Structures are given as structure tokens and as C-alpha cells.
Amino acid sequence: MDLSKIKLVSTDMDGTLLNSGGEVSRHFFELFEELNSLGVTFVAASGRQYYSIIEKLKPIKDDIYVIAENGALTMRQDKELQTTVIDRDTYLELLDITKDLKGSQVILCGRKKGYIEDYGQDFVDMFSEYYYKYEIVENLAEVTDDLYLKIAICNQKGSEKYLYPALKHLEGRLKVKVSGEIWLDLSHNLANKGHALQQLQESHNILPEETMVFGDYNNDLEMMTRAKYSFAMQNAHPNVKAIANYETRSNNDNGVEYMLHKMIEAKKAAVI
């Protein structure tokens, strides 16, 4: 494994770069400064809202690329590089389908903010960890002054068992992604982390052989195919472990930082 050739690093956030408390380690920020000095491009790629991602990475937000909403939005220094949206007719159709999912909460992930109906304060407290900008509305169907990036659905009993079977018939037309234990996302077919990362690779003339990626859940699968150095977290979903070329420590054991340190050492050694 020759890590000295790496030019781009892309990492998922929840279950990957963030620990189970939703925190970024201080050590990561120290490693980032070394990555930056070595000319390595860094990409934060998440199902989270853009504003939530840059809040977590505030000290370095102007020095990174952000792939948000599972690839529906790519940003750099508050500049929009690409947006892949759902049209309104499809959005309304999806709302009609999802309203019958008992015990579930539906979130419209808009370009400006996230939108939810009134599901109670307990849900808001949990939801606001992932959505820094949001609004509680009376009816999601009446939101028109925004772009529809994604619909996220939450079911506390489990997304793979209670949501995916009811929505998998949409695959082919849309991306249907189990993106976490309680989350499932519906988005445009091209709105995925792999496609967004490919666009960045091509714009920077960076090959998969020069790319390192980290992920833990099914919304990271396409991104895994864009890198020779694809790492599943030790805590990753079996699907991610099956497709990744390598494995690293868990998110609570600084798995991303562990491999970044190895890569930095390899690059320094190659210069000597």
C-alpha cells in the first residue's frame, strides 16, 4: 500500500470522522494542517446538510470541499459548484408515498434549509444535530421557495427493516439509500457521493489511484468505487466492508486519523 501518491482524501462524517458523540477530534485538525501543507485536497462528504458540515468543521471550512446531502450539493468557500435536484412533481409524488409510513418523520432537505412538520420537541432536538438551518412548517407540500435536494425519512425502529422494503421499488428512478440505522434518503439518481467526487477528481486531474476515501454506511458505496484506497470503518455496515479495499479502526478509535497519519508519514518519507 503506497500512500505517498495520495492527492485527495474524502471522508464521510457520521460514523466515520465524527465519534459517536458527533464530535471531530482535535487531532484531526492537527493532521489537516499537515495535509494542507502537503497539497492534499480534502473533501467532507456527508448526508448531512451543508451548514451542519461546515459548523462541525468550522476551523477549516474555507480550505475544504464539501459534498453535502449525499452528493446533491458540492460547495467550496460558500460557492456552489454543483447541485442535483428533484423536480417538484417527483417531490410531491414522494411526499404522497411517504405519508403512509407509520411512525416515521419526513424531512425536506432544501438548498436554503431543512423543513419538517411539527413532530414534537424530542424529534427537533435529535434532528437539529444534522440540520443547522431548519424551519417547522404546517405542510411540506406547500414549500415552494427552495430547491428540493433530497427527502430524508427517519424511523427510530430502524430504516433497513421499516423503511427500505416500502421504498425499494423506487430504485432505478431514484437513489434509495439506507444512510444510517434510522435514516433513509431519496434523491436524484446522480445525487450520490461517488458522482460528486468523480466531478472533483476530474476537475483536479486526480485519479482513483491517487484518492483515499473513508465511509461506514450504504450512502458511501458509490464513493468507495472512486478510490483505490477505499477504507471501511471497523464499525461499518457489511455492504461497505464488502466493497472497500481496506479496513481501518472504528470512528470511536480514530480510524480516519490513524490512516491519515500513516499517509502523511509515507508522503514525508517519499520526499527524503
Side-chain angles (χ1 to χ4, degrees):
M1 190 165 53
D2 183 7
L3 301 179
S4 67
K5 307 297 185 186
I6 301 297
K7 296 181 180 178
L8 184 153
V9 173
S10 181
T11 180
D12 172 51
M13 296 288 285
D14 293 281
T16 305
L17 182 61
L18 303 181
N19 64 23
S20 58
E23 301 162 327
V24 183
S25 74
R26 184 169 62 182
H27 185 42
F28 166 74
F29 290 112
E30 294 167 353
L31 290 170
F32 175 81
E33 293 306 319
E34 294 197 72
L35 289 177
N36 214 20
S37 69
L38 291 167
V40 177
T41 299
F42 182 81
V43 182
S46 177
R48 281 179 178 251
Q49 180 188 63
Y50 167 68
Y51 304 105
S52 173
I53 298 169
I54 60 170
E55 182 65 19
K56 293 289 184 183
L57 298 172
K58 189 180 292 186
I60 61 173
K61 67 182 181 65
D62 292 328
D63 299 315
I64 66 175
Y65 288 87
V66 174
I67 294 173
E69 306 287 9
N70 284 344
L73 177 67
T74 306
M75 300 284 290
R76 167 81 172 182
Q77 295 178 344
D78 288 332
K79 180 182 178 183
E80 191 173 301
L81 302 182
Q82 72 84 23
T83 311
T84 306
V85 302
I86 301 171
D87 63 79
R88 179 161 173 79
D89 286 345
T90 301
Y91 168 64
L92 292 176
E93 177 191 354
L94 294 177
L95 281 187
D96 193 52
I97 293 170
T98 57
K99 72 181 181 182
D100 294 326
L101 298 172
K102 290 182 171 56
S104 302
Q105 296 82 34
V106 178
I107 302 103
L108 164 60
C109 307
R111 173 65 183 86
K112 298 176 183 177
K113 62 182 78 168
Y115 303 87
I116 57 172
E117 294 178 4
D118 188 358
Y119 298 122
Q121 192 58 46
D122 286 347
F123 180 77
V124 171
D125 291 343
M126 184 275 290
F127 154 89
S128 59
E129 163 63 22
Y130 308 97
Y131 295 86
Y132 188 70
K133 293 186 178 182
Y134 66 90
E135 181 180 346
I136 300 173
V137 298
E138 188 172 330
N139 186 345
L140 288 174
E142 295 176 359
V143 177
T144 57
D145 187 28
D146 207 340
L147 297 176
Y148 311 119
L149 298 181
K150 187 184 76 178
I151 289 180
I153 309 156
C154 177
N155 189 296
Q156 300 284 349
K157 292 183 178 180
S159 54
E160 205 151 15
K161 181 177 180 180
Y162 290 93
L163 295 177
Y164 181 66
L167 297 166
K168 65 180 180 180
H169 68 281
L170 296 169
E171 289 180 327
R173 287 181 57 204
L174 300 163
K175 280 291 177 189
V176 181
K177 283 291 178 183
V178 174
S179 57
E181 289 186 11
I182 62 172
W183 296 100
L184 183 142
D185 298 328
L186 302 172
S187 55
H188 190 286
N189 256 328
L190 292 179
N192 65 79
K193 296 181 187 182
H195 185 255
L197 181 59
Q198 181 180 356
Q199 290 178 309
L200 288 178
Q201 287 173 314
E202 291 174 352
S203 68
H204 287 74
N205 295 314
I206 294 175
L207 300 172
E209 292 78 11
E210 300 166 322
T211 304
M212 174 185 280
V213 303
F214 299 90
D216 77 308
Y217 236 88
N218 290 344
N219 56 335
D220 298 316
L221 292 174
E222 290 89 352
M223 184 169 70
M224 291 284 143
T225 69
R226 294 303 310 165
K228 177 179 179 179
Y229 299 101
S230 55
F231 287 85
M233 307 305 290
Q234 192 254 325
N235 52 286
H237 190 285
N239 291 347
V240 178
K241 290 186 177 184
I243 199 171
N245 291 326
Y246 303 96
E247 187 172 324
T248 187
R249 299 172 179 177
S250 77
N251 64 316
N252 286 325
D253 198 21
N254 297 319
V256 172
E257 291 91 333
Y258 176 71
M259 290 312 307
L260 291 183
H261 177 75
K262 283 185 171 295
M263 184 259 283
I264 290 167
E265 291 301 306
K267 293 182 82 66
K268 288 180 177 178
V271 174
I272 298 173

